[in-house]
mmCIF file of all heavy atoms in Angstrom:
data_model
loop_
_atom_site.group_PDB
_atom_site.id
_atom_site.type_symbol
_atom_site.label_atom_id
_atom_site.label_comp_id
_atom_site.label_asym_id
_atom_site.label_seq_id
_atom_site.Cartn_x
_atom_site.Cartn_y
_atom_site.Cartn_z
ATOM 1 N N VAL A 1 -2.850 10.473 -16.875
ATOM 2 C CA VAL A 1 -4.029 9.637 -16.639
ATOM 3 C C VAL A 1 -4.608 10.002 -15.277
ATOM 4 O O VAL A 1 -3.885 10.013 -14.275
ATOM 5 C CB VAL A 1 -3.695 8.127 -16.680
ATOM 6 C CG1 VAL A 1 -4.936 7.301 -16.330
ATOM 7 C CG2 VAL A 1 -3.174 7.736 -18.059
ATOM 8 N N LEU A 2 -5.907 10.297 -15.252
ATOM 9 C CA LEU A 2 -6.599 10.528 -13.990
ATOM 10 C C LEU A 2 -7.261 9.218 -13.568
ATOM 11 O O LEU A 2 -8.092 8.668 -14.299
ATOM 12 C CB LEU A 2 -7.658 11.613 -14.132
ATOM 13 C CG LEU A 2 -8.435 11.892 -12.845
ATOM 14 C CD1 LEU A 2 -7.566 12.678 -11.867
ATOM 15 C CD2 LEU A 2 -9.733 12.635 -13.117
ATOM 16 N N HIS A 3 -6.887 8.729 -12.413
ATOM 17 C CA HIS A 3 -7.438 7.476 -11.880
ATOM 18 C C HIS A 3 -8.497 7.806 -10.832
ATOM 19 O O HIS A 3 -8.257 8.611 -9.934
ATOM 20 C CB HIS A 3 -6.336 6.634 -11.238
ATOM 21 C CG HIS A 3 -5.228 6.272 -12.150
ATOM 22 N ND1 HIS A 3 -5.174 5.079 -12.836
ATOM 23 C CD2 HIS A 3 -4.097 6.958 -12.501
ATOM 24 C CE1 HIS A 3 -4.074 5.032 -13.558
ATOM 25 N NE2 HIS A 3 -3.401 6.158 -13.374
ATOM 26 N N THR A 4 -9.643 7.179 -10.930
ATOM 27 C CA THR A 4 -10.650 7.254 -9.876
ATOM 28 C C THR A 4 -10.954 5.835 -9.431
ATOM 29 O O THR A 4 -10.571 4.866 -10.088
ATOM 30 C CB THR A 4 -11.937 7.937 -10.370
ATOM 31 O OG1 THR A 4 -12.442 7.219 -11.493
ATOM 32 C CG2 THR A 4 -11.671 9.385 -10.756
ATOM 33 N N SER A 5 -11.628 5.709 -8.303
ATOM 34 C CA SER A 5 -11.944 4.387 -7.778
ATOM 35 C C SER A 5 -13.439 4.300 -7.533
ATOM 36 O O SER A 5 -14.043 5.246 -7.014
ATOM 37 C CB SER A 5 -11.181 4.133 -6.481
ATOM 38 O OG SER A 5 -11.383 2.811 -6.020
ATOM 39 N N THR A 6 -14.028 3.182 -7.926
ATOM 40 C CA THR A 6 -15.455 2.977 -7.730
ATOM 41 C C THR A 6 -15.690 1.868 -6.705
ATOM 42 O O THR A 6 -14.846 0.993 -6.504
ATOM 43 C CB THR A 6 -16.138 2.599 -9.056
ATOM 44 O OG1 THR A 6 -15.445 1.488 -9.646
ATOM 45 C CG2 THR A 6 -16.106 3.763 -10.027
ATOM 46 N N ALA A 7 -16.854 1.902 -6.075
ATOM 47 C CA ALA A 7 -17.190 0.900 -5.065
ATOM 48 C C ALA A 7 -17.369 -0.465 -5.709
ATOM 49 O O ALA A 7 -17.961 -0.595 -6.773
ATOM 50 C CB ALA A 7 -18.479 1.299 -4.344
ATOM 51 N N ASN A 8 -16.819 -1.478 -5.061
ATOM 52 C CA ASN A 8 -17.053 -2.855 -5.482
ATOM 53 C C ASN A 8 -16.839 -3.765 -4.283
ATOM 54 O O ASN A 8 -16.504 -3.306 -3.189
ATOM 55 C CB ASN A 8 -16.140 -3.244 -6.662
ATOM 56 C CG ASN A 8 -14.665 -3.103 -6.331
ATOM 57 O OD1 ASN A 8 -14.224 -3.493 -5.258
ATOM 58 N ND2 ASN A 8 -13.898 -2.540 -7.253
ATOM 59 N N ALA A 9 -17.032 -5.056 -4.505
ATOM 60 C CA ALA A 9 -16.987 -6.022 -3.403
ATOM 61 C C ALA A 9 -15.580 -6.499 -3.076
ATOM 62 O O ALA A 9 -15.411 -7.358 -2.215
ATOM 63 C CB ALA A 9 -17.859 -7.225 -3.749
ATOM 64 N N PHE A 10 -14.566 -5.941 -3.740
ATOM 65 C CA PHE A 10 -13.194 -6.427 -3.544
ATOM 66 C C PHE A 10 -12.416 -5.528 -2.582
ATOM 67 O O PHE A 10 -11.281 -5.145 -2.833
ATOM 68 C CB PHE A 10 -12.487 -6.529 -4.896
ATOM 69 C CG PHE A 10 -13.181 -7.434 -5.866
ATOM 70 C CD1 PHE A 10 -13.948 -6.915 -6.897
ATOM 71 C CD2 PHE A 10 -13.104 -8.811 -5.719
ATOM 72 C CE1 PHE A 10 -14.606 -7.754 -7.773
ATOM 73 C CE2 PHE A 10 -13.756 -9.651 -6.591
ATOM 74 C CZ PHE A 10 -14.523 -9.128 -7.623
ATOM 75 N N GLY A 11 -13.066 -5.205 -1.461
ATOM 76 C CA GLY A 11 -12.399 -4.382 -0.466
ATOM 77 C C GLY A 11 -12.411 -2.902 -0.776
ATOM 78 O O GLY A 11 -11.626 -2.139 -0.203
ATOM 79 N N HIS A 12 -13.307 -2.469 -1.684
ATOM 80 C CA HIS A 12 -13.416 -1.052 -2.017
ATOM 81 C C HIS A 12 -14.836 -0.532 -1.794
ATOM 82 O O HIS A 12 -15.239 0.470 -2.371
ATOM 83 C CB HIS A 12 -13.025 -0.812 -3.487
ATOM 84 C CG HIS A 12 -11.625 -1.214 -3.813
ATOM 85 N ND1 HIS A 12 -11.306 -2.446 -4.328
ATOM 86 C CD2 HIS A 12 -10.449 -0.552 -3.670
ATOM 87 C CE1 HIS A 12 -9.996 -2.531 -4.511
ATOM 88 N NE2 HIS A 12 -9.457 -1.407 -4.105
ATOM 89 N N ASP A 13 -15.604 -1.210 -0.949
ATOM 90 C CA ASP A 13 -16.998 -0.827 -0.753
ATOM 91 C C ASP A 13 -17.153 0.399 0.142
ATOM 92 O O ASP A 13 -18.189 1.050 0.125
ATOM 93 C CB ASP A 13 -17.805 -2.007 -0.179
ATOM 94 C CG ASP A 13 -17.071 -2.733 0.928
ATOM 95 O OD1 ASP A 13 -15.937 -3.174 0.684
ATOM 96 O OD2 ASP A 13 -17.636 -2.878 2.029
ATOM 97 N N ARG A 14 -16.145 0.741 0.906
ATOM 98 C CA ARG A 14 -16.204 1.913 1.774
ATOM 99 C C ARG A 14 -15.365 3.046 1.175
ATOM 100 O O ARG A 14 -14.328 2.804 0.562
ATOM 101 C CB ARG A 14 -15.673 1.582 3.168
ATOM 102 C CG ARG A 14 -16.420 0.456 3.849
ATOM 103 C CD ARG A 14 -15.693 0.004 5.105
ATOM 104 N NE ARG A 14 -16.296 -1.200 5.647
ATOM 105 C CZ ARG A 14 -15.667 -2.046 6.448
ATOM 106 N NH1 ARG A 14 -14.414 -1.810 6.806
ATOM 107 N NH2 ARG A 14 -16.273 -3.133 6.902
ATOM 108 N N ARG A 15 -15.824 4.271 1.362
ATOM 109 C CA ARG A 15 -15.064 5.419 0.858
ATOM 110 C C ARG A 15 -13.658 5.425 1.434
ATOM 111 O O ARG A 15 -12.679 5.777 0.747
ATOM 112 C CB ARG A 15 -15.797 6.717 1.220
ATOM 113 C CG ARG A 15 -15.145 7.961 0.639
ATOM 114 C CD ARG A 15 -16.015 9.178 0.816
ATOM 115 N NE ARG A 15 -16.146 9.553 2.207
ATOM 116 C CZ ARG A 15 -15.760 10.733 2.715
ATOM 117 N NH1 ARG A 15 -15.214 11.640 1.928
ATOM 118 N NH2 ARG A 15 -15.934 11.014 3.979
ATOM 119 N N ALA A 16 -13.516 5.007 2.693
ATOM 120 C CA ALA A 16 -12.191 4.965 3.309
ATOM 121 C C ALA A 16 -11.269 3.987 2.583
ATOM 122 O O ALA A 16 -10.064 4.226 2.470
ATOM 123 C CB ALA A 16 -12.308 4.571 4.781
ATOM 124 N N ASP A 17 -11.820 2.879 2.078
ATOM 125 C CA ASP A 17 -11.015 1.923 1.311
ATOM 126 C C ASP A 17 -10.466 2.585 0.054
ATOM 127 O O ASP A 17 -9.297 2.426 -0.309
ATOM 128 C CB ASP A 17 -11.857 0.712 0.884
ATOM 129 C CG ASP A 17 -12.443 -0.044 2.050
ATOM 130 O OD1 ASP A 17 -11.778 -0.165 3.082
ATOM 131 O OD2 ASP A 17 -13.583 -0.535 1.906
ATOM 132 N N ARG A 18 -11.348 3.319 -0.619
ATOM 133 C CA ARG A 18 -10.946 3.922 -1.886
ATOM 134 C C ARG A 18 -9.942 5.049 -1.664
ATOM 135 O O ARG A 18 -9.013 5.228 -2.445
ATOM 136 C CB ARG A 18 -12.198 4.403 -2.626
ATOM 137 C CG ARG A 18 -13.174 3.258 -2.896
ATOM 138 C CD ARG A 18 -14.328 3.653 -3.783
ATOM 139 N NE ARG A 18 -15.293 4.549 -3.165
ATOM 140 C CZ ARG A 18 -16.291 4.171 -2.370
ATOM 141 N NH1 ARG A 18 -16.450 2.881 -2.082
ATOM 142 N NH2 ARG A 18 -17.147 5.053 -1.880
ATOM 143 N N ALA A 19 -10.118 5.784 -0.565
ATOM 144 C CA ALA A 19 -9.133 6.819 -0.236
ATOM 145 C C ALA A 19 -7.779 6.191 0.068
ATOM 146 O O ALA A 19 -6.730 6.685 -0.364
ATOM 147 C CB ALA A 19 -9.625 7.639 0.956
ATOM 148 N N ALA A 20 -7.798 5.083 0.818
ATOM 149 C CA ALA A 20 -6.548 4.393 1.160
ATOM 150 C C ALA A 20 -5.820 3.920 -0.100
ATOM 151 O O ALA A 20 -4.581 3.987 -0.179
ATOM 152 C CB ALA A 20 -6.839 3.213 2.079
ATOM 153 N N GLU A 21 -6.577 3.426 -1.085
ATOM 154 C CA GLU A 21 -5.967 2.955 -2.331
ATOM 155 C C GLU A 21 -5.207 4.087 -3.017
ATOM 156 O O GLU A 21 -4.065 3.907 -3.479
ATOM 157 C CB GLU A 21 -7.064 2.418 -3.243
ATOM 158 C CG GLU A 21 -6.587 1.988 -4.618
ATOM 159 C CD GLU A 21 -7.730 1.692 -5.573
ATOM 160 O OE1 GLU A 21 -8.897 1.906 -5.206
ATOM 161 O OE2 GLU A 21 -7.436 1.275 -6.701
ATOM 162 N N MET A 22 -5.806 5.267 -3.090
ATOM 163 C CA MET A 22 -5.165 6.394 -3.761
ATOM 164 C C MET A 22 -3.947 6.893 -2.991
ATOM 165 O O MET A 22 -2.906 7.209 -3.568
ATOM 166 C CB MET A 22 -6.177 7.536 -3.933
ATOM 167 C CG MET A 22 -7.355 7.186 -4.814
ATOM 168 S SD MET A 22 -6.823 6.686 -6.481
ATOM 169 C CE MET A 22 -8.396 6.198 -7.174
ATOM 170 N N LEU A 23 -4.071 6.962 -1.661
ATOM 171 C CA LEU A 23 -2.946 7.440 -0.863
ATOM 172 C C LEU A 23 -1.776 6.462 -0.897
ATOM 173 O O LEU A 23 -0.611 6.864 -0.916
ATOM 174 C CB LEU A 23 -3.403 7.685 0.578
ATOM 175 C CG LEU A 23 -4.373 8.862 0.750
ATOM 176 C CD1 LEU A 23 -4.917 8.898 2.168
ATOM 177 C CD2 LEU A 23 -3.688 10.180 0.413
ATOM 178 N N LEU A 24 -2.082 5.176 -0.906
ATOM 179 C CA LEU A 24 -1.013 4.188 -0.995
ATOM 180 C C LEU A 24 -0.292 4.300 -2.337
ATOM 181 O O LEU A 24 0.943 4.210 -2.402
ATOM 182 C CB LEU A 24 -1.582 2.779 -0.814
ATOM 183 C CG LEU A 24 -0.566 1.642 -0.807
ATOM 184 C CD1 LEU A 24 0.423 1.801 0.343
ATOM 185 C CD2 LEU A 24 -1.274 0.294 -0.725
ATOM 186 N N ALA A 25 -1.039 4.519 -3.412
ATOM 187 C CA ALA A 25 -0.418 4.701 -4.723
ATOM 188 C C ALA A 25 0.498 5.925 -4.717
ATOM 189 O O ALA A 25 1.631 5.882 -5.223
ATOM 190 C CB ALA A 25 -1.498 4.842 -5.791
ATOM 191 N N PHE A 26 0.030 7.014 -4.121
ATOM 192 C CA PHE A 26 0.834 8.234 -4.056
ATOM 193 C C PHE A 26 2.133 7.989 -3.295
ATOM 194 O O PHE A 26 3.203 8.487 -3.673
ATOM 195 C CB PHE A 26 0.013 9.339 -3.380
ATOM 196 C CG PHE A 26 0.720 10.656 -3.291
ATOM 197 C CD1 PHE A 26 0.779 11.509 -4.386
ATOM 198 C CD2 PHE A 26 1.321 11.061 -2.104
ATOM 199 C CE1 PHE A 26 1.436 12.734 -4.309
ATOM 200 C CE2 PHE A 26 1.973 12.282 -2.015
ATOM 201 C CZ PHE A 26 2.033 13.120 -3.121
ATOM 202 N N ASP A 27 2.055 7.204 -2.222
ATOM 203 C CA ASP A 27 3.223 6.948 -1.385
ATOM 204 C C ASP A 27 4.207 5.955 -1.991
ATOM 205 O O ASP A 27 5.377 5.940 -1.606
ATOM 206 C CB ASP A 27 2.780 6.418 -0.013
ATOM 207 C CG ASP A 27 2.130 7.486 0.853
ATOM 208 O OD1 ASP A 27 2.256 8.686 0.524
ATOM 209 O OD2 ASP A 27 1.497 7.119 1.852
ATOM 210 N N THR A 28 3.767 5.111 -2.921
ATOM 211 C CA THR A 28 4.610 3.984 -3.350
ATOM 212 C C THR A 28 5.000 3.970 -4.819
ATOM 213 O O THR A 28 5.972 3.307 -5.179
ATOM 214 C CB THR A 28 3.906 2.648 -3.047
ATOM 215 O OG1 THR A 28 2.627 2.613 -3.700
ATOM 216 C CG2 THR A 28 3.704 2.471 -1.541
ATOM 217 N N PHE A 29 4.285 4.655 -5.692
ATOM 218 C CA PHE A 29 4.615 4.591 -7.119
ATOM 219 C C PHE A 29 6.073 4.972 -7.376
ATOM 220 O O PHE A 29 6.747 4.385 -8.218
ATOM 221 C CB PHE A 29 3.694 5.507 -7.929
ATOM 222 C CG PHE A 29 2.376 4.881 -8.320
ATOM 223 C CD1 PHE A 29 1.858 3.794 -7.627
ATOM 224 C CD2 PHE A 29 1.638 5.389 -9.381
ATOM 225 C CE1 PHE A 29 0.640 3.222 -7.983
ATOM 226 C CE2 PHE A 29 0.430 4.825 -9.746
ATOM 227 C CZ PHE A 29 -0.068 3.742 -9.052
ATOM 228 N N GLY A 30 6.565 5.961 -6.636
ATOM 229 C CA GLY A 30 7.930 6.428 -6.864
ATOM 230 C C GLY A 30 9.012 5.486 -6.387
ATOM 231 O O GLY A 30 10.195 5.688 -6.683
ATOM 232 N N SER A 31 8.635 4.429 -5.660
ATOM 233 C CA SER A 31 9.643 3.496 -5.144
ATOM 234 C C SER A 31 9.973 2.379 -6.133
ATOM 235 O O SER A 31 10.896 1.594 -5.890
ATOM 236 C CB SER A 31 9.154 2.873 -3.830
ATOM 237 O OG SER A 31 8.029 2.033 -4.058
ATOM 238 N N ILE A 32 9.250 2.296 -7.230
ATOM 239 C CA ILE A 32 9.422 1.207 -8.197
ATOM 240 C C ILE A 32 10.104 1.731 -9.448
ATOM 241 O O ILE A 32 9.588 2.654 -10.100
ATOM 242 C CB ILE A 32 8.056 0.586 -8.565
ATOM 243 C CG1 ILE A 32 7.336 0.104 -7.311
ATOM 244 C CG2 ILE A 32 8.235 -0.558 -9.569
ATOM 245 C CD1 ILE A 32 8.084 -0.933 -6.509
ATOM 246 N N PRO A 33 11.259 1.168 -9.820
ATOM 247 C CA PRO A 33 11.947 1.627 -11.027
ATOM 248 C C PRO A 33 11.066 1.497 -12.266
ATOM 249 O O PRO A 33 10.299 0.541 -12.409
ATOM 250 C CB PRO A 33 13.161 0.691 -11.117
ATOM 251 C CG PRO A 33 13.375 0.214 -9.715
ATOM 252 C CD PRO A 33 12.006 0.121 -9.111
ATOM 253 N N ALA A 34 11.171 2.477 -13.156
ATOM 254 C CA ALA A 34 10.477 2.494 -14.448
ATOM 255 C C ALA A 34 8.954 2.562 -14.309
ATOM 256 O O ALA A 34 8.227 2.252 -15.240
ATOM 257 C CB ALA A 34 10.870 1.285 -15.299
ATOM 258 N N HIS A 35 8.474 2.981 -13.144
ATOM 259 C CA HIS A 35 7.027 3.089 -12.920
ATOM 260 C C HIS A 35 6.540 4.462 -13.392
ATOM 261 O O HIS A 35 7.308 5.419 -13.443
ATOM 262 C CB HIS A 35 6.736 2.932 -11.424
ATOM 263 C CG HIS A 35 5.335 2.522 -11.097
ATOM 264 N ND1 HIS A 35 4.272 3.401 -11.152
ATOM 265 C CD2 HIS A 35 4.824 1.329 -10.730
ATOM 266 C CE1 HIS A 35 3.165 2.762 -10.807
ATOM 267 N NE2 HIS A 35 3.464 1.506 -10.545
ATOM 268 N N VAL A 36 5.251 4.563 -13.735
ATOM 269 C CA VAL A 36 4.693 5.879 -14.018
ATOM 270 C C VAL A 36 4.821 6.739 -12.772
ATOM 271 O O VAL A 36 4.857 6.246 -11.643
ATOM 272 C CB VAL A 36 3.205 5.784 -14.455
ATOM 273 C CG1 VAL A 36 3.081 5.043 -15.773
ATOM 274 C CG2 VAL A 36 2.347 5.133 -13.383
ATOM 275 N N GLU A 37 4.917 8.046 -12.996
ATOM 276 C CA GLU A 37 5.114 8.974 -11.891
ATOM 277 C C GLU A 37 3.773 9.528 -11.406
ATOM 278 O O GLU A 37 2.822 9.651 -12.169
ATOM 279 C CB GLU A 37 6.007 10.135 -12.331
ATOM 280 C CG GLU A 37 7.385 9.695 -12.792
ATOM 281 C CD GLU A 37 8.198 10.863 -13.334
ATOM 282 O OE1 GLU A 37 7.758 12.019 -13.154
ATOM 283 O OE2 GLU A 37 9.253 10.619 -13.933
ATOM 284 N N VAL A 38 3.730 9.875 -10.136
ATOM 285 C CA VAL A 38 2.555 10.521 -9.569
ATOM 286 C C VAL A 38 2.721 12.029 -9.695
ATOM 287 O O VAL A 38 3.760 12.586 -9.316
ATOM 288 C CB VAL A 38 2.356 10.140 -8.093
ATOM 289 C CG1 VAL A 38 1.242 10.979 -7.473
ATOM 290 C CG2 VAL A 38 2.019 8.668 -7.962
ATOM 291 N N VAL A 39 1.703 12.692 -10.217
ATOM 292 C CA VAL A 39 1.704 14.143 -10.326
ATOM 293 C C VAL A 39 0.967 14.782 -9.151
ATOM 294 O O VAL A 39 1.396 15.795 -8.597
ATOM 295 C CB VAL A 39 1.057 14.584 -11.662
ATOM 296 C CG1 VAL A 39 0.980 16.110 -11.753
ATOM 297 C CG2 VAL A 39 1.848 14.016 -12.841
ATOM 298 N N ASP A 40 -0.132 14.174 -8.728
ATOM 299 C CA ASP A 40 -0.940 14.737 -7.660
ATOM 300 C C ASP A 40 -1.849 13.644 -7.110
ATOM 301 O O ASP A 40 -2.061 12.603 -7.743
ATOM 302 C CB ASP A 40 -1.787 15.900 -8.200
ATOM 303 C CG ASP A 40 -2.375 16.781 -7.098
ATOM 304 O OD1 ASP A 40 -1.996 16.604 -5.921
ATOM 305 O OD2 ASP A 40 -3.192 17.658 -7.424
#
């Protein structure tokens, strides 16, 4: 699954917010048992 992020009023209105969301997912998905894996 390719995930992208779009601008909205829930703290994702800035490009930096959306970049942070993706980087946080990359850093944390692997810490949760039975979670989907990050490929890139």
Side-chain angles (χ1 to χ4, degrees):
V1 176
L2 179 75
H3 301 265
T4 58
S5 185
T6 53
N8 59 44
F10 302 103
H12 300 94
D13 44 304
R14 302 169 189 158
R15 185 170 67 120
D17 300 323
R18 301 188 290 277
E21 176 190 5
M22 297 302 175
L23 292 172
L24 183 61
F26 182 80
D27 288 346
T28 57
F29 275 22
S31 67
I32 304 301
H35 201 284
V36 295
E37 300 175 11
V38 172
V39 177
D40 195 9

